[in-house]
Amino acid sequence: MGSKPEVSARPSRFRAFFSNFLVGIVGTAASIVGVFLAVYFYFGSVSYPELVYFVNPVHTIVVKQGTASRLGVVFDGHPLTQDVTASQVAIWNRGHQVIRRAAILQAVTITTEPRVPILEATIRKTSRDVVGFDLGRTRFAEGEVPVSWNILEEGDGGVVQLVYAGDVGTQIRCRGVIEGQRAVREL
């Protein structure tokens, strides 16, 4: 006749350790913290473009029509009867993904609202020369300035100064679509 193996009356050290109430609490807390950290680090590592723009709230009046001044403005041989104002717009990539020229799905354009003629647009500053920031000059009369670049890495961008035939109430907007972003965001 075979004998039954003898079963120990006291639990093993391994079982006793994991049966402890405090070990259960610490294990549960560590699991919850682990899930939150996994979600946090996942979203922190996701790469995305974020093209943003900021219009400097200070608009400079170059010429105010109707004031007691003997100063007149002539543009391309024609006298201007509107106010002339200057504004600066900063455009940059705030995201973690590179934005190349090929990623522009709909032209990125600075516009005036209401549409007033842009007399001059100049690049005042770029983050780096390799960015290749460029302005189109064919739609100034319609109040539009197309903006393009070779590459915008994280933090890259430029500052554009506009001189337009309008008052300080004229709004400046930036429109366009790039791959991975439906619209340029205003800050």
Side-chain angles (χ1 to χ4, degrees):
M1 285 198 199
S3 66
K4 288 181 159 183
E6 201 172 296
V7 177
S8 172
R10 62 186 166 118
S12 69
R13 288 184 190 176
F14 183 75
R15 180 175 276 181
F17 177 76
F18 284 104
S19 296
N20 187 322
F21 178 75
L22 288 176
V23 171
I25 295 292
V26 170
T28 302
S31 298
I32 292 170
V33 169
V35 168
F36 284 116
L37 285 175
V39 170
Y40 173 78
F41 286 120
Y42 169 76
F43 285 110
S45 69
V46 173
S47 178
Y48 59 91
E50 186 180 8
L51 188 64
V52 296
Y53 75 100
F54 175 76
V55 179
N56 190 329
V58 178
H59 301 273
T60 305
I61 300 170
V62 178
V63 174
K64 179 84 171 153
Q65 296 297 333
T67 59
S69 173
R70 297 182 308 181
L71 181 65
V73 178
V74 177
F75 181 72
D76 282 344
H78 300 79
L80 290 177
T81 57
Q82 309 97 313
D83 293 350
V84 176
T85 308
S87 294
Q88 290 190 346
V89 181
I91 300 173
W92 72 97
N93 180 9
R94 200 170 86 166
H96 301 293
Q97 184 177 345
V98 172
I99 306 172
R100 298 182 191 281
R101 183 184 302 260
I104 301 172
L105 303 178
Q106 181 182 39
V108 176
T109 307
I110 300 171
T111 60
T112 56
E113 293 178 10
R115 296 295 174 100
V116 295
I118 295 173
L119 307 175
E120 181 180 75
T122 55
I123 299 170
R124 303 299 289 173
K125 183 179 180 182
T126 58
S127 56
R128 302 181 300 158
D129 290 338
V130 297
V131 167
F133 220 71
D134 192 28
L135 304 176
R137 306 199 182 289
T138 58
R139 306 213 21 109
F140 282 8
E142 292 83 21
E144 296 182 2
V145 178
V147 180
S148 62
W149 54 84
N150 291 331
I151 186 169
L152 289 181
E153 293 181 343
E154 183 176 359
D156 278 344
V159 176
V160 177
Q161 179 171 299
L162 302 177
V163 178
Y164 53 91
D167 60 16
V168 292
T170 302
Q171 299 292 310
I172 308 295
R173 301 277 184 245
C174 189
R175 308 216 186 290
V177 177
I178 60 167
E179 192 174 315
Q181 183 179 353
R182 296 176 188 254
V184 181
R185 285 191 11 162
E186 180 178 11
L187 294 182

